[in-house]
Amino acid sequence: MSTLAFTGARALQILDSRGFPTLRVQIRDDAGDHFYASAPSGASTGSHEAVELRDGGTAWSGRGVTKAVRSVTGEINTLLTSREWDSQSTVDNALRELDGTAEKSRLGANALVAVSMAASRAFAAHDRASLHTWIASTVGCSQRLPVPHFNVLNGGQHAANALAFQEFMIAPVGATTLPDAVEWGADIYHALGSILRKKGMATGLGDEGGYAPEISRPEQALDLIVEAIETAGHRTGAGDVAIALDPAANYFFHDGRYLVGEQSFSTTELVTYYEKLLDNYPIRSLEDPLAEDDPNGWPELTAALGSRIQIVGDDLLVTSAARVQAAIASASANAVLIKPNQVGTVSETFDTLRAAAQGGFTAMVSHRSGETMDSFVADLAVGAGCGQLKAGAPARGERVAKYNRLLEIADEDPALSYGLATPMNQGNQHD
Ligand SMILES: O=C(O)[C@@H](CO)OP(=O)(O)O
Ligand SMILES: [Mg+2]
């Protein structure tokens, strides 16, 4: 394999979709080509995530990322230009070593992930491959166009309403092509907007572009979504349009109880509550149904519901291969959410995808609630062949950038199949 020589790394502070500072990185190779990537930023986070470097405080206190910018223009620039590189993992290992902390807090996971993603684009270009094709061959996967999971109704940390659950997504699993799936998603989103207007409910949006009406019970949100699916001319269920939820339960778990609207549940009561939701609504996937601090609850919930639906660990697993392996061993979930900035480098993200596939876990690639126009996760979802991408509502520039990238890939490569994947075709296809 031929090597890649970088001649420089730059970064600048930009704004993310919430208007908070984040950074954009540019790296240059010796052919004079430039490769870019931007760091996204989460609002509902797991306690084991890699740590963003901010200039003191949090994004919410308006804190900048000039220190992370300096990590790139200083030490990382010196590292990248000091030698030649033969693979993504050699770059990422060197970045981790240079940082020297377990949680990537010294140079900043925001600096590291943006440099790592820009390096992926450089390696792909060096191989004369598209980013998704390079990802597939590096991870060892069959490519597949994922089912987009459109977050059409927002609550939790992403909206100012009283809804405890964070994300209500629609998944056009029954569409036969990606362009159809995107069209269905947009039609249902618009139908939901009309329904809210007709009922005199608020049509303001949450952080991910979904509507954020003043409701407090998850059933109200689910009823509105079922009505929107049917108004748009589709059927609900596994054959047509299914629903996926991300309650993000860390944020309504207090003193051992889960507070959902007016109700307070023990873990076992919440599992029973979810069971009823599954009986009454076409739900195919539940992400973070319990808090990360409820370790005994996860195996209980997975035993009760895991044969019926996908149970996704996000805050619980933080895109960590080791945490995924532990969850496989304890049967604490059956799927993992994949967010490169949670773990901090692209190679570690690939390791987590491989660990999931080996243990029979499905995977869903995800954006963050604070986003930029960078569409890396769309290529990642296709290249990983995992069959699922969540990137917010089918509206707002930073969200549609991902869906539009999928449309571009579908157009360029009409032979790619569309749809959900099993762990079998999500990993290690041709080794
Ligand atoms: O919880 C989540 O899954 C994400 C993305 O939707 O939100 P955040 O980026 O705020 O962690
Ligand atoms: Mg989540």
Side-chain angles (χ1 to χ4, degrees):
M1 182 195 287
S2 65
T3 56
L4 193 52
F6 294 120
T7 56
R10 298 171 54 178
L12 84 156
Q13 180 171 305
I14 60 169
L15 294 177
D16 73 12
S17 54
R18 276 191 279 253
F20 293 137
T22 188
L23 77 165
R24 182 165 195 242
V25 160
Q26 178 212 74
I27 60 178
R28 298 181 299 285
D29 68 11
D30 59 355
D33 291 321
H34 297 189
F35 304 96
Y36 297 88
S38 300
S41 180
S44 68
T45 51
S47 64
H48 297 280
E49 291 196 19
V51 171
E52 294 180 334
L53 182 59
R54 296 221 169 247
D55 304 343
T58 65
W60 271 258
S61 46
R63 295 309 175 154
V65 292
T66 61
K67 286 183 184 163
V69 165
R70 277 203 298 278
S71 297
V72 177
T73 54
E75 288 184 59
I76 292 175
N77 176 58
T78 306
L79 172 76
L80 286 182
T81 55
S82 68
R83 50 172 282 200
E84 297 199 346
W85 303 93
D86 62 12
S87 66
Q88 179 78 39
S89 55
T90 54
V91 171
D92 290 341
N93 289 342
L95 288 171
R96 286 162 58 191
E97 221 166 272
L98 182 69
D99 173 76
T101 67
E103 70 287 357
K104 303 184 174 71
S105 57
R106 194 180 72 80
L107 295 170
N110 43 357
L112 261 52
V113 80
V115 169
S116 183
M117 294 193 303
S120 298
R121 291 191 162 111
F123 280 110
H126 193 63
D127 285 359
R128 298 182 192 286
S130 61
L131 181 58
H132 56 93
T133 301
W134 174 84
I135 288 172
S137 62
T138 307
V139 188
C141 294
S142 291
Q143 298 192 59
R144 168 176 288 271
L145 292 161
V147 174
H149 284 58
F150 301 105
N151 181 8
V152 293
L153 204 149
N154 297 180
Q157 293 300 102
H158 295 168
N161 57 14
L163 197 53
F165 287 10
Q166 179 178 281
E167 298 171 28
F168 293 79
M169 293 170 271
I170 48 166
V173 285
T176 47
T177 68
L178 186 272
D180 280 354
V182 172
E183 202 175 312
W184 292 15
D187 287 348
I188 295 164
Y189 177 75
H190 294 132
L192 179 59
S194 309
I195 290 166
L196 292 172
R197 272 188 294 277
K198 242 184 254 154
K199 294 185 193 288
M201 299 169 86
T203 51
L205 304 181
D207 286 359
E208 298 189 350
Y211 293 105
E214 258 318 330
I215 52 179
S216 60
R217 288 189 309 112
E219 292 86 342
Q220 293 171 288
L222 289 161
D223 288 337
L224 286 164
I225 289 171
V226 167
E227 191 180 338
I229 293 170
E230 287 168 357
T231 304
H234 299 288
R235 285 170 303 131
T236 55
D240 216 341
V241 181
I243 294 175
L245 301 179
D246 178 5
N250 268 3
Y251 289 86
F252 55 88
F253 185 58
H254 304 284
D255 302 324
R257 306 282 301 176
Y258 291 93
L259 306 180
V260 180
E262 302 288 288
Q263 293 164 281
S264 164
F265 297 115
S266 68
T267 300
T268 304
E269 288 162 353
L270 186 62
V271 172
T272 306
Y273 174 72
Y274 284 132
E275 212 157 5
K276 274 197 211 115
L277 290 185
L278 300 196
D279 292 340
N280 295 329
Y281 298 97
I283 295 167
R284 67 164 301 271
S285 178
L286 256 186
E287 178 184 328
D288 284 350
L290 299 176
E292 62 169 290
D293 291 335
D294 188 4
N296 299 328
W298 283 82
E300 179 187 333
L301 181 139
T302 304
L305 310 178
S307 60
R308 296 176 66 181
I309 57 158
Q310 177 175 258
I311 311 291
V312 189
D314 169 19
D315 293 345
L316 178 77
L317 303 179
V318 294
T319 316
S320 149
R323 293 182 73 84
V324 166
Q325 276 153 354
I328 290 165
S330 57
S332 292
N334 59 26
V336 58
L337 200 73
I338 298 288
K339 295 164 165 170
N341 83 321
Q342 269 184 332
V343 65
T345 64
V346 171
S347 305
E348 287 165 285
T349 305
F350 292 169
D351 291 344
T352 304
L353 283 162
R354 291 191 195 98
Q358 275 157 18
F361 270 32
T362 49
M364 181 189 285
V365 173
S366 171
H367 65 155
R368 297 308 304 245
S369 52
E371 265 296 337
T372 70
M373 299 301 278
D374 194 321
S375 58
F376 189 94
V377 290
D379 282 78
L380 178 60
V382 175
C386 63
Q388 311 177 71
L389 170 72
K390 70 166 194 173
R396 295 192 16 167
E398 78 281 2
R399 312 294 152 187
V400 299
K402 283 63 165 174
Y403 300 125
N404 288 345
R405 174 66 185 142
L406 291 182
L407 289 167
E408 202 171 77
I409 295 170
D411 187 59
E412 281 165 10
D413 197 344
L416 282 180
S417 48
Y418 162 80
L420 298 173
T422 63
M424 287 302 287
N425 54 13
Q426 151 194 303
N428 301 328
Q429 276 301 290
H430 48 248
D431 56 14

